[in-house]
Amino acid sequence: MDNVLLHTVQLDDQPMDCDLHPTEALLASGVIDGHLALHSFSKEASPQLRHKLKAHATSCRAARFSAAGDLVYTASTDQSILAVDCASGKAQARKKDAHDTAINRLACTGPTGLASGDDEGVVKLWDSRQSEAVATLEAHSDYVADLSVFSEKHCLLSVAGDGTLAVVDLRKKKILAQSEGDADDELLSVAVLKGGKKVVCGSTSGVLNIWSWGYWNDCSDRFPGHPESVTALLRYDDDTILTGSSDGLIRVLSIQPNKMLGVLGEHADYPIERLAMAPGGAFLASASHDNTVKLWDLAQLAEEDDEGEEGGEEEEREGEEAAQGRRGAAAAAGAAAAAAAAGRNDSDSEEDEEGAAGRKQQGAAPAAAAAGTAGGDTSGRQAAAGDDGSGDDSSDDSDSGGKKKGRKRLKGQHRIVSKKQAQKGNFFADLL
C-alpha cells in the first residue's frame, strides 16, 4: 500500500505497549525504561510530546486508556498499576503489589472496569471505585500474553505462554471455559471475529489458530503463513484482521476464507511488539524494537472497502442485466417455438383431414368392389384395388409424418440458460 505511513514517533528506548485514545488523536506509549509518553498528532502536523513521566521504576509493559479517555493505566514488572490523568499528565492513583509477580497486560472492561494479567497466568478484575481486585482467576499456568474484551457477550479472552485460551465471564467474574494447552506452541495474541462466532489467536510458530465460539477443547481451523511469531493481532472488521509479526511486517488477512491480502507496512527487520487501533479504524499504531511507534493512516483501507463494495454492486447490476437479457432471449425463443408448434399443429390438422378423406375413399372402394362383383364389373374391382393402394399410401405417409413431428415436440423446443451468480469484488485486491 502507498502513503499509509503517517508519522514515526521516536522514543528514548524500546516501547513495550501502545494505545490510542478513544476520542482524541492521542498516543500513549509504555517504554521499557519505565516511562509513559503521551503524544498528540494529526494528519497534517508531526506528533508533539504532550506529557512524559517516570511511571515505574522498572519496565512499563502495558498502557491502556480508560473507556472515557480521562485516564491512562500503566502496569509494570514492579507489580504495580498506575492511573495517570491525561489532561495534566500527573499520577492520580497507584496500586502497589497489584499482583504477586510482573504484570504483562491490561484491558479496559467497562466504564470503571480493568483487567490485568501477570507472569504466572493469573488474571485479575478491578473496579476503579474499589481498592482491591473484585476477582482473582488462575486462568493459565504460564505468562498472560494478551487480553481482549468481547463486550457483546460480556466476556474477556486471555491467551498465555502455556498455549491455552481462557474465556472469562465479566458479570459472573469466573472462568467459563479453557482450551487444551499446546506445549510446543505459545499463544501470543487474540481477537474475536465473525460477530462473535470465531476467535483467532496468533502463536510463536506463526500459525493462526481459529476457534469456534463455544467449542473450546481445540481449534477448528489453522491458518499458516507467517514465517515468524504473530506477536500482535487486531480485528479490522468482522472478516479481516491486522497482524504484527517478529519479522517486522504488518499484514492484512482475511479469515474464512483464509487469505493473505497484503502488507500494510513494516519496521524493517525489527520485531513488532504491539498494535493498537483507534475506535472507528481511522489510525493504527505499531510499537517495535526499533525504539519507535509508527502511526498509520487506515483511510486507504476504508476507501478500498468502499470501492470493493461499489465494484461488487456494479458487477451485481451487470450480472442482473445480463440475466435479464438471457431471460428475454429465452422468452423470445419460447414464443418463436410456440408459434412454430402452432404452425405444425395446423399442418398436422390439414394432413389429418387429408388422411381422413383418404380413409373415406378407402372405405368406399370395397363397397364399389362389392357392387362390381355383384354386377360382374371387373373394371370396378380394378378401380377399387387402385383406390385401396393409393389410400393406404396416403394414410401411411400422414401417420408417419405426424408421429415424427410429435416426437420432436416432446423433446422440447428450447433450453433456458442457468443464471450465473455475480461475483463480488475483493476490496483488498489492490493490495496484492
Side-chain angles (χ1 to χ4, degrees), residues 138-167:
E138 296 181 359
H140 309 278
S141 61
D142 205 344
Y143 71 96
V144 175
D146 196 14
L147 298 171
S148 180
V149 176
F150 184 50
S151 57
E152 285 80 355
K153 293 188 178 181
H154 305 283
C155 288
L156 172 74
L157 293 95
S158 65
V159 291
D162 60 4
T164 61
L165 163 68
V167 184

Side-chain angles (χ1 to χ4, degrees), residues 282-353:
F283 304 105
L284 177 75
S286 58
S288 175
H289 291 197
D290 60 1
N291 296 353
T292 68
V293 176
K294 291 186 177 182
L295 295 168
W296 309 88
D297 185 2
L298 298 183
Q300 190 172 139
L301 293 186
E303 290 172 0
E304 297 202 8
D305 191 353
D306 294 339
E307 290 174 1
E309 292 178 356
E310 291 176 359
E313 293 174 359
E314 180 64 25
E315 289 184 4
E316 285 181 352
R317 286 195 295 270
E318 292 177 356
E320 182 60 28
E321 291 175 357
Q324 290 178 356
R326 288 192 295 270
R327 287 194 295 268
R344 283 193 295 272
N345 288 337
D346 292 342
S347 176
D348 290 346
S349 298
E350 292 176 357
E351 291 178 357
D352 290 343
E353 290 177 358

Side-chain angles (χ1 to χ4, degrees), residues 248-272:
L249 297 182
I250 303 171
R251 294 174 172 85
V252 186
L253 297 94
S254 167
I255 297 298
Q256 292 188 349
N258 299 335
K259 185 178 181 181
M260 196 81 70
L261 299 174
V263 174
L264 178 71
E266 64 176 352
H267 282 262
D269 294 328
Y270 292 92
I272 294 172

Side-chain angles (χ1 to χ4, degrees), residues 16 37 41 46 87 92 97 103-104 130 139 153 159-160 194 312 325 335 347 349 352 364 368 407 423 428:
M16 300 299 293
F41 66 93
S46 299
Q92 295 296 301
D97 299 323
I103 304 172
N104 284 321
Q130 301 182 34
K153 293 188 178 181
V159 291
K194 305 288 185 180
S347 176
S349 298
D352 290 343
R407 283 195 296 270
Q423 306 237 350
F428 282 117

